[in-house]
Amino acid sequence: MSSDPFPQQLPTLQRLGVDDPTDVSAADVAIAWFEVFSSAVASSDIAGILDLFLDDGFWKDILALTWDLRTIEGRDGIKNLLENRLVPTGLVNLRLNDEDLHAPEIQRLFPDLVLLRLCFEFGTKVGKGTAVCYLVPIPGSKWKAYSLFTCLESLNDFPEQVSSLPRSIVEHGTWEEERRQEKELANVSPTVIVVGAGHTGLEIAARLKYIGIPHLVVDRNARIGDSWRDRYKALYLHTTIWFNQTPYLPFPPTWPVYSPATQIAGWLESYASHLELNVWTSSTITKTEWDDETKTWTVKINRGGKEARVLKVKHLVFAAGFGGRPTMPDLPGKSEFIGEVVHSSQFMSAENYTGKKAVVVGACNSGHDIAQDFFNHGVDITMHQRSSTFIFSIGAATNFLSGYFKDGFPTALADIYHSSLPNAVVRRIHQRTVPLAAETTDKALLEGLATVGFKTNLGPYGAGLISLLFDRAGGYYMDTGASQHIIDGGIKIKSGSPIERFTETGLKFADGSELEADIVVFATGYGDPRDSMRATCGPEVADKVAPLWHLDEEGQSSGVWRYSGHDGLWFGIGEPCL
């Protein structure tokens, strides 16, 4: 494996040369640091601000100072940031937040890692934001900032139209017609077209609508939510409902913690309806043209089999999911095989295969879900594991995915805290928590899998989920039951040898062994997330767009929620559902 691109070390007590601070008032420390920081900001005293940071500290910013997603590391980098952006940004009205859940707090992540978290609010020339700062102790009973996170949360000129802002007058029988005209774009052209009416696409549309930006969402499916309905029936979210919360209209308190796919599909459909989002289903973009002088797109849309409209818009946002086209190996002998061959995206249910034999190729989330579905329907099922998999339990997942996403904790604040540390730092923290979970919480699970030949790993650089999420968006399985069936032998494992070819009755492997099968399901993932954009915009545009999602040299997601490489072209990709 190549060397870790993020070699930063955690600010342990030993590195800092201090003992564990005890009998410390978090509020007093926070107030003292914040007063000096606020004064230095007010007077644009860059040297004074820098003196409040460790030499290897971080300033992570989402839109507030940089209009981008940036993580600046080290004294020289932060100095450059402040010299170029402090005065133009106009940081004002800094206020330490001591309200419930925001108040200064000592956090002991490990016996040798102590952070003091404080939150403050601020204004800029264009909006308002929230900041989270993590202080660490230094010799002399002092504290300095290890990491500061600034995040712009609202725009002065585009206030969110919530509470009494949307409709404060009584409508007498006019709503239905007004809503029809709005959805059909009868009186306005959208500023933004969003491609994809899934979770992310609808949330983007909701934010646009409620800050007053005309929008249109186009989706090729017949109904909103079909991207979930048309997957295998056993599909459900592997992350909790609090991790998948929707803005403006949260899930009801009666909602299951782990949601079935069809239930999510229905929710998305009702979400678009209740929030009055402009969505055209059974629609595809057939042609786009970019005018570099006017910075506009001309977009031709086929709606329900006919050319519906030609629209001129400023922005195209692709929210078509993380993966591109389904990927399957091109194996010889496929035409000879008398059984069925499908990709996991085409597979629906194991209910028609009772008493038969199945092989699932792939040992990550979809592979496990589908194998368990076969097991539950009495199918003789073998999983072909091509490479080792990061396996973790639901119990361990709480630490990996942030403990803030839970019942009763405000989602907006959970998002802030979850994003507040640089990814390079989070990776270092996970390099401790992942092995610890493997030796404690998940010890019996992993040992049981090893006894039956299932190969596991701790993720790239031993950091578990975070590296796999951003580097591959795959390679892991959060155990929701299939692992025990593997240990017990109900789901058999074939590993250690690649597939050589199809035979008439199944698969032959390079080691000479064969597996009989009536159906082979390839849970082998998806291609480049730029695939749909390339098909829509053509190669001239697509070639300007850099690879998406992986972490750049600052530890930020490349090309997602930020400049893609082409003006007016954006990608919205949430952290993929686990």
Side-chain angles (χ1 to χ4, degrees):
M1 181 180 293
S2 60
S3 60
D4 192 338
F6 304 107
Q8 296 85 353
Q9 297 300 309
L10 294 174
T12 60
L13 298 174
Q14 182 179 7
R15 281 193 66 217
L16 297 169
V18 296
D19 296 325
D20 188 352
T22 56
D23 298 325
V24 172
S25 168
D28 290 346
V29 171
I31 291 171
W33 183 92
F34 182 72
E35 286 181 349
V36 179
F37 177 79
S38 299
S39 177
V41 169
S43 59
S44 298
D45 179 4
I46 293 176
I49 297 173
L50 292 173
D51 284 343
L52 295 169
F53 280 79
L54 292 182
D55 287 343
D56 60 348
F58 295 87
W59 191 312
K60 181 177 180 180
D61 183 64
I62 295 181
L63 303 178
L65 276 76
T66 63
W67 283 112
D68 197 353
L69 280 63
R70 299 289 305 275
T71 298
I72 310 300
E73 180 184 0
R75 186 180 184 90
D76 290 343
I78 296 174
K79 180 175 183 289
N80 183 60
L81 169 71
L82 294 172
E83 287 177 343
N84 286 279
R85 298 302 308 156
L86 181 60
V87 172
T89 299
L91 282 182
V92 293
N93 301 328
L94 279 66
R95 184 186 74 84
L96 187 66
N97 195 332
D98 59 359
E99 298 170 3
D100 187 36
L101 302 179
H102 298 80
E105 175 183 281
I106 297 285
Q107 297 183 328
R108 286 181 168 81
L109 302 188
F110 304 107
D112 64 342
L113 183 61
V114 179
L115 305 177
L116 191 157
R117 187 191 69 204
L118 63 93
C119 303
F120 64 89
E121 299 169 354
F122 61 88
T124 73
K125 292 179 180 179
V126 299
K128 296 179 176 63
T130 293
V132 181
C133 186
Y134 294 91
L135 307 181
V136 294
I138 62 172
S141 300
K142 298 179 181 179
W143 294 73
K144 284 195 174 185
Y146 173 59
S147 178
L148 175 61
F149 172 66
T150 45
C151 178
L152 191 69
E153 292 195 281
S154 64
L155 297 170
N156 296 334
D157 293 341
F158 296 88
E160 286 189 287
Q161 299 170 25
V162 295
S163 300
S164 61
L165 288 177
R167 297 193 185 100
S168 56
I169 60 173
V170 177
E171 296 172 339
H172 295 282
T174 61
W175 173 82
E176 188 171 4
E177 176 58 22
E178 289 176 354
R179 177 70 189 116
R180 186 194 68 79
Q181 291 189 29
E182 180 189 14
K183 185 176 179 180
E184 295 300 316
L185 308 175
N187 302 311
V188 66
S189 181
T191 302
V192 182
I193 289 180
V194 181
V195 181
H199 220 112
T200 301
L202 295 178
E203 290 181 356
I204 292 170
R207 291 296 189 193
L208 291 172
K209 181 182 178 71
Y210 292 108
I211 60 173
I213 297 177
H215 72 279
L216 172 66
V217 183
V218 296
D219 195 286
R220 64 184 178 182
N221 291 313
R223 292 174 61 189
I224 297 171
D226 278 352
S227 57
W228 290 99
R229 289 188 194 92
D230 294 343
R231 296 293 306 279
Y232 52 90
K233 291 183 179 179
L235 178 63
Y236 54 92
L237 296 187
H238 284 208
T239 45
T240 67
I241 200 60
W242 305 294
F243 205 76
N244 297 278
Q245 202 53 276
T246 46
Y248 304 113
L249 187 64
F251 295 101
T254 55
W255 205 264
V257 173
Y258 297 96
S259 303
T262 51
Q263 191 174 25
I264 287 291
W267 176 261
L268 294 179
E269 193 168 41
S270 63
Y271 181 81
S273 175
H274 290 313
L275 267 64
E276 301 177 21
L277 306 181
N278 302 331
V279 183
W280 289 0
T281 53
S282 299
S283 300
T284 56
I285 296 176
T286 58
K287 186 178 181 181
T288 63
E289 291 183 359
W290 171 254
D291 188 324
D292 204 40
E293 290 188 8
T294 62
K295 302 296 182 183
T296 57
W297 294 95
T298 300
V299 181
K300 183 179 289 187
I301 301 175
N302 182 300
R303 187 180 183 193
K306 59 183 180 181
E307 296 292 344
R309 293 279 284 278
V310 176
L311 300 170
K312 289 188 180 295
V313 300
K314 288 292 186 181
H315 303 279
L316 269 178
V317 181
F318 283 85
F322 176 84
R325 300 184 183 93
T327 59
M328 290 178 62
D330 185 16
L331 296 171
K334 183 178 177 181
S335 61
E336 303 169 13
F337 179 54
I338 61 174
E340 186 178 357
V341 180
V342 296
H343 187 267
S344 59
S345 61
Q346 302 166 305
F347 180 79
M348 290 301 294
S349 174
E351 58 191 4
N352 295 324
Y353 298 93
T354 301
K356 296 185 178 182
K357 295 182 177 181
V359 174
V360 173
V361 180
C364 298
N365 274 338
S366 293
H368 278 82
D369 284 352
I370 293 171
Q372 183 165 351
D373 190 28
F374 278 123
F375 172 83
N376 291 341
H377 284 86
V379 179
D380 183 332
I381 172 64
T382 301
M383 177 189 291
H384 177 224
Q385 185 185 30
R386 300 175 299 165
S387 59
S388 62
T389 310
F390 174 53
I391 303 292
F392 57 101
S393 66
I394 290 176
T398 300
N399 292 328
F400 304 154
L401 298 177
S402 173
Y404 296 116
F405 295 97
K406 57 188 177 182
D407 191 20
F409 200 95
T411 302
L413 184 57
D415 284 338
I416 290 289
Y417 285 158
H418 180 66
S419 303
S420 60
L421 281 170
N423 283 324
V425 176
V426 175
R427 175 181 282 191
R428 289 300 179 204
I429 292 172
H430 283 200
Q431 285 176 326
R432 289 187 170 200
T433 57
V434 168
L436 179 62
E439 289 297 322
T440 54
T441 308
D442 291 347
K443 183 177 177 63
L445 171 68
L446 298 177
E447 289 180 346
L449 290 170
T451 61
V452 295
F454 188 94
K455 297 177 173 59
T456 63
N457 62 58
L458 297 181
Y461 314 107
L465 190 60
I466 184 171
S467 296
L468 290 167
L469 274 175
F470 289 107
D471 295 344
R472 292 177 51 190
Y476 53 84
Y477 169 61
M478 188 175 78
D479 180 31
T480 55
S483 290
Q484 191 60 50
H485 297 314
I486 292 172
I487 294 169
D488 296 339
I491 298 174
K492 292 174 284 187
I493 295 297
K494 170 64 180 177
S495 62
S497 181
I499 301 172
E500 186 176 89
R501 60 176 290 114
F502 279 96
T503 67
E504 182 179 356
T505 57
L507 295 170
K508 182 179 180 180
F509 294 83
D511 62 5
S513 63
E514 295 187 21
L515 282 175
E516 293 185 357
D518 296 291
I519 179 173
V520 178
V521 180
F522 284 90
T524 45
Y526 298 84
D528 196 311
R530 296 171 293 179
D531 285 349
S532 60
M533 177 274 299
R534 180 173 291 273
T536 300
C537 299
E540 183 177 349
V541 171
D543 289 345
K544 297 180 180 179
V545 177
L548 302 178
W549 189 252
H550 70 281
L551 297 182
D552 64 16
E553 64 277 3
E554 291 184 356
Q556 296 287 167
S557 294
S558 175
V560 179
W561 304 112
R562 56 196 302 212
Y563 184 65
S564 68
H566 189 287
D567 291 348
L569 181 63
W570 309 89
F571 291 86
I573 302 175
E575 291 187 353
C577 295
L578 301 176

